[in-house]
Amino acid sequence: MQHDTAQRIQDARKAADKMTEELVKIRDELNDTTFKAVVGDIPSKTNFPLKVRRNLRGHLAKIYALHWSMDGNHIVSASQDGKLLCWDAMSSNKTHAIPMKSAWVMTCAYSPSGDFVACGGLDNVCTVYNLRSSQIPIRVQRELSAHIGYLSCCRFFDDKYILTSSGDGSCIVWDVEAAAKIMEFNDHDGDVMSVSLISSEPNTFISGACDATAKFWDRRSGKCLQTFTGHSTDINSTCFFPNGQAFATGSDDGSCRLFDIRSDRAMNTFTHESIKCGVTSVGFSKSGRYLFAGYDNFDCNVWDSLKGDKVATLKGHQDRVSCLGVTNDGYALATGSWDNFLRVWA
């Protein structure tokens, strides 16, 4: 009986592998051109006028995460000084200083309404705070606990639901008010380091992990729809392209890649032989023409997403650029660093 079961499993695996090979063959046959060939006649971008407009000083230790509010006027940042700071990016003033339960933070996020912020890290918990609270200092609104590994990333769908990723290899959608797990996503073979959402496609999300793969998920079914390969080591960051039909990844292998969801393949690779360090974070300009990438070597490189060329290097930080983000309207870029400072570029 056991022998028959083992044989059936083995036969099923062989059939699945054969089907996979056939699908890959069909996909390759349909790949009748290259991305660079299609954009060959488009002029390269050579002028990039971004300058530092604001220096946000207030953290006393390494900054690990930042996130813009939907209105593009406020930033939340998380640091190992144990503080979650909310900033008015226009005036450079701090609007909230929230003491976190754990200083070992890895992620933070603004809710779309701007009424809530969330953070998490090595405590394995996603902690949500209500910025409209009259309490001083602001206290914990909800604690979302189910992961058995560190919390690497969190992003709000809306004020009611939030998505988290973890070093336990899973992603979870939560009901914030009920502090309840709604759905769990398990398909990665390593720590999940990043998730990306886009408002135009609220039922899908992207994840990147230490198994060197990025996955495209359906929030309704809980299933992985597509798996994207190409990186040789950990993926640290993911970001949707503005139209929601592609996304970028940044990896410890020193490269960024642009993946197209419809064609199920990598469209472009952004790297250079002089880059010897990992990518910590990625983000797109409003049009999608520019890809911003933060690196361990203290730089933020700007890439032409069509041509694959480096357009500019934003210098100024004195340590690792650990995080970055672009405003919803595309008017500003923020970078955070282990040098304890945030910089706003425009």
Side-chain angles (χ1 to χ4, degrees):
M1 181 69 175
Q2 290 181 348
H3 179 269
D4 292 343
T5 301
Q7 186 62 45
R8 286 199 297 270
I9 292 173
Q10 187 175 0
D11 292 343
R13 285 175 176 166
K14 288 181 179 179
D17 290 341
K18 184 178 180 180
M19 188 178 298
T20 300
E21 291 175 1
E22 292 175 353
L23 289 172
V24 170
K25 184 179 179 181
I26 293 171
R27 187 186 67 176
D28 290 341
E29 289 174 352
L30 294 173
N31 186 33
D32 57 352
T33 188
T34 65
F35 188 67
K36 288 189 176 181
V38 173
V39 303
D41 294 334
I42 298 176
S44 298
K45 290 287 187 179
T46 56
N47 182 31
F48 196 78
L50 273 191
K51 295 181 180 179
V52 176
R53 306 297 180 178
R54 298 288 187 275
N55 283 298
L56 306 184
R57 298 177 173 88
H59 282 298
L60 303 176
K62 296 175 180 178
I63 296 172
Y64 268 80
L66 69 82
H67 194 229
W68 283 96
S69 62
M70 288 291 285
D71 63 14
N73 294 325
H74 298 87
I75 301 171
V76 61
S77 58
S79 165
Q80 282 193 348
D81 61 9
K83 292 293 191 295
L84 198 64
L85 297 183
C86 297
W87 306 81
D88 183 323
M90 296 298 292
S91 66
S92 302
N93 294 328
K94 293 180 283 292
T95 59
H96 298 88
I98 304 171
M100 296 181 289
K101 296 186 69 175
S102 171
W104 302 104
V105 66
M106 295 181 70
T107 183
C108 62
Y110 251 117
S111 70
S113 68
D115 291 342
F116 299 92
V117 291
C119 65
L122 298 187
D123 59 356
N124 304 357
V125 177
C126 181
T127 306
V128 180
Y129 299 90
N130 185 352
L131 298 182
R132 303 304 177 195
S133 171
S134 59
Q135 297 173 329
I136 301 177
I138 294 174
R139 297 178 185 174
V140 174
Q141 173 86 1
R142 289 290 184 273
E143 289 187 328
L144 310 177
S145 178
H147 287 296
I148 57 174
Y150 60 84
L151 198 80
S152 57
C153 191
C154 63
R155 289 292 180 264
F156 283 92
F157 288 104
D158 50 38
D159 285 359
K160 188 174 181 181
Y161 298 105
I162 192 171
L163 173 68
T164 59
S165 63
S166 169
D168 62 16
S170 72
C171 302
I172 295 178
V173 174
W174 303 82
D175 183 319
V176 176
E177 184 62 31
K181 179 171 67 174
I182 302 299
M183 186 171 290
E184 186 169 347
F185 305 82
N186 294 286
D187 200 41
H188 279 293
D189 294 325
D191 303 13
V192 183
M193 298 304 296
S194 174
V195 289
S196 179
L197 311 178
I198 190 165
S199 57
S200 61
E201 297 289 343
N203 293 315
T204 60
F205 67 91
I206 295 290
S207 64
C210 291
D211 58 9
T213 68
K215 293 181 182 290
F216 180 58
W217 301 86
D218 188 324
R219 176 185 168 192
R220 296 158 295 188
S221 67
K223 294 181 179 179
C224 173
L225 302 180
Q226 292 169 264
T227 298
F228 298 85
T229 60
H231 286 292
S232 60
T233 186
D234 304 2
I235 293 176
N236 296 319
S237 182
T238 58
C239 181
F240 264 111
F241 194 77
N243 68 1
Q245 296 176 346
F247 65 94
T249 55
S251 168
D252 273 344
D253 63 14
S255 73
C256 303
R257 291 175 185 264
L258 175 64
F259 292 96
D260 184 76
I261 295 171
R262 295 163 298 177
S263 62
D264 193 38
R265 63 173 61 246
M267 304 297 288
N268 218 338
T269 301
F270 310 91
T271 188
H272 191 272
E273 59 184 12
S274 63
I275 297 175
K276 306 296 184 183
C277 61
V279 182
T280 62
S281 46
V282 292
F284 280 106
S285 64
K286 178 68 172 178
S287 67
R289 183 66 190 267
Y290 296 113
L291 173 66
F292 304 100
Y295 292 81
D296 289 330
N297 66 352
F298 315 170
D299 290 341
C300 176
N301 286 335
V302 185
W303 300 91
D304 184 331
S305 64
L306 291 182
K307 310 293 285 188
D309 301 326
K310 185 167 71 171
V311 178
T313 299
L314 306 181
K315 293 183 176 292
H317 285 294
Q318 302 303 310
D319 208 328
R320 180 190 202 219
V321 177
S322 55
C323 50
L324 61 79
V326 180
T327 57
N328 220 39
D329 57 18
Y331 286 148
L333 164 74
T335 55
S337 170
W338 282 10
D339 64 9
N340 308 352
F341 297 127
L342 294 167
R343 283 181 165 80
V344 179
W345 311 72

